[in-house]
Amino acid sequence: MLTLHVAAATGDAVLVEGARIAALGPYGELAAAHPAARVRRWPGVLTPGLLNPHGPELLERTYHPDPREAGELGTEPITDPAVLASPGMTDARRGAGARRGAQRLLAHGTVAVAGELRVRAVADAVRRAGLETVPRPGGPADTRPSLDPFAPGCGPAVWMPDLRAGGPARFAVFDVRDAAELPERGAAACVATVLGGRLVHRRA
């Protein structure tokens, strides 16, 4: 099955076949060459997706509560060491929190995280979500951890390598006029994230 993703702001398109990128180019050209392809139209611009440098901080040293825990823990991510070290915070529970954290990262256009994940349940949750994990050179990141790398104090956003034909079908689409608008709008402007050719996030 061929799927053609097109970004309305630029007309750029990515043709996906399985887990790989089959072709890149203007939508009109790719649509004419592959008339049977399923078309997904997105507002905004198509990007390679973000690399968040704070994998351990956001997924191992932060707990993302289940909505059913709102009465006990609230709804915001928790970094309190006392909570994270409490007897009830089992590895299985931390893994479930990491799964929810990974979903939040995907909703911010993140396709990979940097840093070693040492809790097996967390690493497994991240792998199942499809997020790539890459080494973090130079030790701990010196910027503030955030789901949104465009937030104040988070340093410059890091993008994954440019998309290419034959490369992995891994990208994110942001509802902005152009890339220059992204720092103002933030990563919450993400409308779609694709990993391994699968649509893993779509903004309602």
Side-chain angles (χ1 to χ4, degrees), residues 50-190:
L50 291 161
L51 167 63
N52 193 302
H54 298 285
E57 292 83 356
L58 292 171
L59 297 167
E60 286 186 339
R61 298 172 207 160
T62 301
Y63 179 68
H64 300 266
D66 188 293
R68 294 170 295 184
E69 300 173 310
E72 174 192 0
L73 299 175
T75 59
E76 294 302 309
I78 297 170
T79 57
D80 183 347
V83 175
L84 298 177
S86 64
M89 194 58 66
T90 62
D91 280 358
R93 193 175 183 186
R94 294 176 71 183
R99 176 176 50 80
R100 292 185 289 272
Q103 291 300 318
R104 288 180 167 180
L105 285 166
L106 294 173
H108 285 78
T110 293
V111 298
V113 294
E116 182 182 2
L117 300 175
R118 299 183 179 183
V119 178
R120 181 172 180 177
V122 172
D124 287 346
V126 172
R127 176 180 51 79
R128 286 193 295 268
L131 284 170
E132 184 176 350
T133 305
V134 301
R136 184 165 62 188
D142 58 2
T143 52
R144 182 173 67 85
S146 175
L147 295 169
D148 184 351
F150 297 104
C154 293
V158 181
W159 296 100
M160 292 295 280
D162 289 342
L163 302 178
R164 60 179 178 82
R170 177 187 60 207
F171 51 88
V173 187
F174 295 87
D175 186 8
V176 292
R177 292 187 298 270
D178 52 44
E181 189 184 11
L182 257 175
E184 177 185 347
R185 292 284 307 282
C190 178

Side-chain angles (χ1 to χ4, degrees), residues 5-9 40-47 50 103-110 171-177 182 185-194 198-204:
H5 296 263
V6 56
R40 291 192 183 275
R41 301 178 186 276
W42 307 108
V45 299
L46 199 150
T47 74
L50 291 161
Q103 291 300 318
R104 288 180 167 180
L105 285 166
L106 294 173
H108 285 78
T110 293
F171 51 88
V173 187
F174 295 87
D175 186 8
V176 292
R177 292 187 298 270
L182 257 175
R185 292 284 307 282
C190 178
V191 293
T193 305
V194 172
R198 298 182 299 113
L199 183 63
V200 293
H201 165 71
R202 179 175 188 166
R203 190 169 71 188

